[in-house]
Amino acid sequence: MRESGEDRRRRILAVVEARGQTRVTELAAELAVSVITVRRDVEELARAGRLRRGHGVVRSLVPRRQETAPAPAGGGPVALVVPERHAYLTEVLHGARAALEEADVRVVLHPAPQVPGAERTIVERLLDDDDARGVLIAPRWRSVVTEEADDGWLAAAAVPVVLMERRPRPGSALHARDSVCTDHWYGVHLAVTHLLALGHRRIVLAARDDSPTARSLRAAFTGICTGQPEIEDWTVVLSAPGAVAGQEPVRDLEPLADVLREHAATGVIMHGDVDALMLVQQLAEAGITVPGGCSVVAYDDVVAALGSTPLTAIAPPKAEVGRLAAGLLLERLREPAARPPRRIAVLPELKVRGSTRPLID
């Protein structure tokens, strides 16, 4: 969903107050908007008396209060690097932030714009400036190729790095770094088991393919359905345009109602919430009601409960992932070589709502 001007100006003000001053061009790059847009926002904030403009520079009217969040002796802040405008990871971020602030560690947020290599640019700049002494990061990783491109430089970072909601590929350099991730296989297992218990034997997964979570869901669904004799038929379709084909069998983007009719499917698992809500609307327009004509399980549970029919959903423990990742980083900062790296998997939950019901023959 597009960010509102008010939200964008709020982020600009937060960045300027945190740094004291910054350049307009830097704000535009970090927010992934045009320089003209930032200038207009800055002018509006200046007219409201909330900051001061200079020639290409924006200055805060609020003195920097570093003493309110001091870093422990011998180190600077911890950098939180996450994709911009990513609602799912916002809860992860808040969990990490709370744990770090409780430990009296200063936190600096660095939203990564939607351009290739954005995370690398941010992290390398931080390390070159000797600013951050640790990094919590959730790389965007839109494809396997971008994940492989990040493997070497991120694993070689000279400060402790903990991956949040990302599971490095087995055998990769990042495999030996600390990471905390939702057990997405278990999440798919919960969804499939729930639908089977309601009598649904023909199931479709509608998933994106532009995130590591989506790829994990597709692989898990394929493996679970292949090994589950109760399932009479299953298939995977793309839930949004612009996806990139992966290694698991997947159909091109097409009307979900047509796929359900073709396979006589009565159960659907949809990733993520916004796509799920939109696809439910598409089904209704095609004459397939939820849950009357089809039971739906959403995967993410960020806004699933807000649908006209609240969606049953798999809820990853997002805040807990962030909290545990911060805990691993704090341990590394206290004793860098005290223990081997850890890969923590946290189990999601099933939230049953109105979009699933027993199959009526």
Side-chain angles (χ1 to χ4, degrees):
M1 292 183 289
R2 188 173 181 179
E3 183 179 39
S4 68
E6 182 180 351
D7 287 341
R8 188 176 59 249
R9 287 187 287 275
R10 188 181 298 114
R11 283 209 293 156
I12 289 173
L13 193 62
V15 170
V16 174
E17 289 182 353
R19 299 177 185 173
Q21 72 173 41
T22 189
R23 301 191 64 80
V24 170
T25 52
E26 292 176 354
L27 285 170
E30 291 186 26
L31 273 63
V33 296
S34 69
V35 171
I36 293 176
T37 297
V38 173
R39 284 175 178 162
R40 289 172 179 167
D41 287 337
V42 166
E43 288 174 2
E44 183 169 336
L45 290 168
R47 283 196 299 270
R50 305 186 71 183
L51 50 74
R52 184 169 64 253
R53 290 189 299 135
H55 184 65
V57 176
V58 187
R59 296 182 176 86
S60 173
L61 297 177
V62 179
R64 295 183 68 185
R65 296 180 296 170
Q66 294 181 335
E67 70 278 6
T68 61
V78 162
L80 275 170
V81 183
V82 297
E84 65 171 356
R85 305 190 186 108
H86 201 304
Y88 179 98
L89 288 171
T90 297
E91 293 185 48
V92 177
L93 184 156
H94 287 320
R97 174 187 172 185
L100 291 168
E101 291 183 344
E102 185 178 346
D104 254 354
V105 173
R106 190 162 70 91
V107 181
V108 179
L109 174 63
H110 294 271
Q114 300 183 47
V115 295
E119 290 92 349
R120 181 171 187 172
T121 300
I122 291 171
V123 172
E124 290 185 343
R125 184 181 70 239
L126 292 171
L127 300 185
D128 287 344
D129 294 342
D130 293 325
D131 189 17
R133 64 185 185 125
V135 177
L136 289 173
I137 186 169
R140 194 178 299 276
W141 285 352
R142 287 192 177 276
S143 67
V144 174
V145 172
T146 56
E147 179 180 348
E148 291 173 345
D150 283 349
D151 190 45
W153 73 266
L154 189 52
V159 299
V161 173
V162 179
L163 293 170
M164 302 185 298
E165 203 58 293
R166 299 292 183 258
R167 177 66 69 223
R169 293 172 296 107
S172 65
L174 280 172
H175 197 139
R177 284 286 194 170
D178 292 313
S179 63
V180 182
C181 187
T182 298
D183 187 336
H184 293 301
W185 182 95
Y186 185 72
V188 175
H189 165 75
L190 287 176
V192 171
T193 301
H194 176 64
L195 290 173
L196 286 175
L198 296 175
H200 301 282
R201 300 290 183 267
R202 308 176 77 86
I203 304 172
V204 172
L205 170 69
R208 307 183 65 91
D209 190 39
D210 56 1
S211 77
T213 297
R215 292 189 291 276
S216 295
L217 298 184
R218 287 173 45 201
F221 183 77
T222 299
I224 290 170
C225 291
T226 300
Q228 178 55 264
E230 289 183 73
I231 297 177
E232 298 174 4
D233 188 25
W234 62 272
T235 191
V236 178
V237 298
L238 296 180
S239 63
V244 180
Q247 297 179 348
E248 303 82 30
V250 61
R251 299 171 56 141
D252 292 332
L253 182 69
E254 55 190 300
L256 183 60
D258 293 346
V259 178
L260 295 183
R261 292 185 178 116
E262 177 186 343
H263 290 266
T266 60
V268 181
I269 303 168
M270 296 181 176
H271 174 250
D273 283 2
V274 174
D275 288 341
L277 293 172
M278 294 174 64
L279 288 171
V280 166
Q281 292 175 6
Q282 293 176 19
L283 292 180
E285 292 167 1
I288 300 176
T289 60
V290 175
C294 179
S295 283
V296 171
V297 180
Y299 199 104
D300 272 2
D301 201 35
V302 176
V303 293
L306 302 181
S308 54
T309 297
L311 301 182
T312 293
I314 301 300
K318 297 174 280 290
E320 180 68 1
V321 167
R323 188 189 68 78
L324 289 171
L328 290 183
L329 186 63
L330 289 170
E331 289 183 24
R332 283 287 178 209
L333 293 176
R334 286 192 292 265
E335 300 179 87
R339 55 165 181 75
R342 282 186 281 180
R343 292 160 59 88
I344 298 177
V346 193
L347 300 184
E349 297 179 273
L350 171 69
K351 301 291 184 68
V352 179
R353 301 191 181 100
S355 64
T356 54
R357 77 177 191 186
L359 178 65
I360 300 175
D361 294 329

